[in-house]
Amino acid sequence: MSTAHPEDLPPLREANASAATEHGSNRWYLSSAPIVRALVHLCVPMAAALIVSAVYNLINAGVIGAVHNTALLAAVTLGSPVLGLIMAIGDLFGTGGGSLISRLLGASEHDPAKAGEIKRVASFAVLGAFGAGVVMGGAGLLALDPVVSLLGAEGAAVPATRAYVGVMLAFLPVFAAAFCLEQIMRSEGAARQVMIGLVASTAANLVLDVLFVLVLHWGVAGAALGTGLANLGVAVYFILWLHRHSEHVVVSPRWFTLAPAKPVLGVGAGTLVQSGFLIVTSLVLNNLASAYGDGPLAAMGVAVRIAQVPEFLVMGITLGILPLLAYSYGKGDRHRFAVALRAAALTVGGIAGLFLLGGFAFRTQIVEAFISDPSVLSIGVTILTAQLVAMLANGFTGLLTSVFQATGQALAATVTSATHGVLFIPVVLLGNLWFGLGGIIWSLTLTEGSALLVGLTMWFICRRAINRGMSDGTPERGEAVLRGGDE
């Protein structure tokens, strides 16, 4: 625990207040910027990075498809759960670590000594993510053949899947650290710098894809290598930026300690559970839909990609708002917390509602741009409608999850995050059994609606604890922040 002599505290408080109120600084957006400006600063870069990532995925598929080898495309599809595992590890440490850092920054406006804990939290989160990546990646490489078999690779797809997954597992520590660093950066309000890093990484990834796949003919192993090197580059960029520009965040073995483990992993556990269920959900959904032929699978792929546009915009709000809510909570700024949450809810509702109404009104014309077969077109229209309704519910569920993570309500965050996966599998299985393809299509919508009800229930349960924790920066409040929440 950092200590300070009484005579040192006034200048420390003065410097801290200056850092927090310096107009235009990243921390100013968290501390005192007008809410609309803060939302634009934090959320727009997040949404832009997500959309760029989605566009890259389409281009990447085109680059691999240019080789005219279906086994390579199959290998990338079959290896997608490995990406889910990578995100799960990074989010486990990054979400919890980022949330706690924002709360400590807010609390430091009243007690500057709290900022001294940030370097321990950051070091635990990033080095913990890297270490977990080493363990999981190493275990995966040792059991590579069983892993490839579990992913469902058969025939000509086996060697390609083995090559792709093998390289991805080798880079797993880098991926996990990069995902974690992204959220550590955002915890300080550096959303624009995160976007710059992610967009540059995506551009580099595309160049490396063309070089490794089309020029050097390294196949999917080359595609995986390009992704790994691009993520190594963005991780180095994040670390260098933090070293040069961050006042409090330090990533070093010197500051590594297990003390922040409980609040970091407690909040991050929800994202880990959610990512795990998403992997299972994807496998179950693909297997059930494939029984109805290629048409429904193609229609589902098109509808999901169309719905991704508003989905990523909404995610930009729900993920971007988290550092602002956590900072306001740690600071004890009840008014700013409430105004930010209200503005985020209105924005989520406005974006989701606009796309839902527009998508419903022009659903046939939108799907016709991608599908010409009349029988498949009608399925695509139905799937798009179901996806857009699910997107509306999912947006508010994501916002509630961010509230729980921002305020250190680990149990509420985990329950809300896990509800989707827990409910989806029985719902989709029963929907398929009772209603056939229609049951599969609407199962996601029903699940998302149920998850929103669970999230609202958890909000009413936790609301009193959250309000109680929104204090005025007393020493007791500081200790609660270090524990990651209020009891």
Side-chain angles (χ1 to χ4, degrees):
M1 178 73 67
S2 298
T3 58
H5 297 290
E7 62 268 24
D8 295 332
L9 290 180
L12 274 173
R13 285 196 181 98
E14 214 172 279
N16 197 67
S18 173
T21 56
E22 184 182 346
H23 190 280
S25 68
N26 288 324
R27 191 164 173 188
W28 174 74
Y29 284 103
L30 296 177
S31 176
S32 53
I35 289 298
V36 173
R37 289 191 64 180
L39 281 175
V40 170
H41 175 81
L42 295 168
C43 301
V44 170
M46 188 73 216
L50 288 168
I51 291 173
V52 167
S53 177
V55 171
Y56 164 75
N57 288 335
L58 292 174
I59 297 174
N60 176 252
V63 171
I64 296 173
V67 181
H68 302 297
N69 186 336
T70 54
L72 301 186
L73 282 173
V76 174
T77 303
L78 291 168
S80 59
V82 177
L83 287 173
L85 173 64
I86 290 166
M87 291 180 65
I89 295 173
D91 284 343
L92 171 64
F93 290 89
T95 301
S99 170
L100 182 53
I101 287 171
S102 293
R103 295 201 299 277
L104 286 168
L105 279 173
S108 71
E109 286 203 29
H110 301 293
D111 185 355
K114 297 297 178 285
E117 295 299 317
I118 292 175
K119 56 183 175 290
R120 295 180 175 84
V121 176
S123 296
F124 170 79
V126 176
L127 297 178
F130 185 86
V134 170
V135 173
M136 296 297 292
L141 288 171
L142 290 174
L144 185 56
D145 288 332
V147 167
V148 170
S149 227
L150 181 64
L151 292 172
E154 296 179 354
V158 171
T161 305
R162 194 178 192 281
Y164 180 77
V165 172
V167 176
M168 293 295 284
L169 288 172
F171 274 95
L172 203 155
V174 173
F175 289 130
F179 273 106
C180 181
L181 281 162
E182 173 194 334
Q183 295 180 71
I184 298 299
M185 290 270 290
R186 288 197 295 111
S187 72
E188 282 207 315
R192 185 169 56 84
Q193 289 79 9
V194 169
M195 181 189 70
I196 291 170
L198 293 180
V199 171
S201 173
T202 301
N205 201 346
L206 181 58
V207 172
L208 292 173
D209 277 350
V210 173
L211 174 63
F212 293 156
V213 178
L214 298 182
V215 178
L216 298 178
H217 306 292
W218 290 353
V220 286
L225 178 61
T227 304
L229 292 176
N231 275 270
L232 177 60
V234 79
V236 171
Y237 165 73
F238 286 157
I239 289 174
L240 288 177
W241 189 91
L242 288 169
H243 177 72
R244 293 172 181 172
H245 301 285
S246 177
E247 184 182 357
H248 303 293
V249 175
V250 177
V251 178
S252 168
R254 175 189 174 191
W255 298 109
F256 181 86
T257 171
L258 294 178
K262 182 180 177 182
V264 170
L265 299 182
V267 170
T271 59
L272 177 66
V273 171
Q274 185 179 35
S275 298
F277 276 122
L278 283 175
I279 295 172
V280 176
T281 295
S282 177
L283 292 172
V284 171
L285 187 60
N286 288 341
N287 276 283
L288 290 176
S290 64
Y292 293 91
D294 293 337
L297 271 177
M300 190 171 293
V302 168
V304 167
R305 281 171 173 77
I306 294 171
Q308 272 183 343
V309 175
E311 200 171 286
F312 283 158
L313 289 174
V314 168
M315 284 177 65
I317 304 298
T318 60
L319 296 177
I321 196 69
L322 197 157
L324 177 57
L325 294 176
Y327 191 99
S328 301
Y329 179 78
K331 182 181 176 182
D333 193 336
R334 191 186 307 272
H335 175 72
R336 187 168 178 80
F337 184 94
V339 172
L341 180 56
R342 190 181 309 119
L346 289 172
T347 307
V348 167
I351 293 173
L354 181 64
F355 274 91
L356 175 60
L357 293 175
F360 184 78
F362 300 101
R363 59 193 185 281
T364 303
Q365 293 89 336
I366 292 171
V367 179
E368 272 181 337
F370 300 90
I371 297 173
S372 56
D373 186 330
S375 61
V376 180
L377 176 64
S378 62
I379 297 172
V381 168
T382 303
I383 295 174
L384 178 60
T385 304
Q387 289 280 328
L388 290 173
V389 176
M391 177 267 302
L392 177 63
N394 181 257
F396 286 107
T397 305
L399 181 58
L400 287 168
T401 302
S402 289
V403 171
F404 299 142
Q405 291 170 341
T407 56
Q409 300 294 326
L411 180 60
T414 302
V415 170
T416 306
S417 298
T419 298
H420 175 276
V422 171
L423 292 180
F424 180 77
I425 294 175
V427 167
V428 73
L429 290 176
L430 291 174
N432 180 52
L433 180 64
W434 292 341
F435 305 106
L437 181 60
I440 296 176
I441 291 172
W442 289 99
S443 59
L444 179 63
T445 310
L446 179 59
T447 303
E448 294 292 2
S450 302
L452 176 56
L453 291 176
V454 171
L456 289 170
T457 302
M458 297 305 299
W459 163 252
F460 285 114
I461 291 173
C462 297
R463 194 172 180 179
R464 182 176 296 178
I466 292 173
N467 286 333
R468 189 169 61 244
M470 208 88 64
S471 70
D472 58 358
T474 62
E476 291 79 11
R477 171 67 187 132
E479 291 302 316
V481 169
L482 293 179
R483 290 196 304 270
D486 296 287
E487 298 178 10

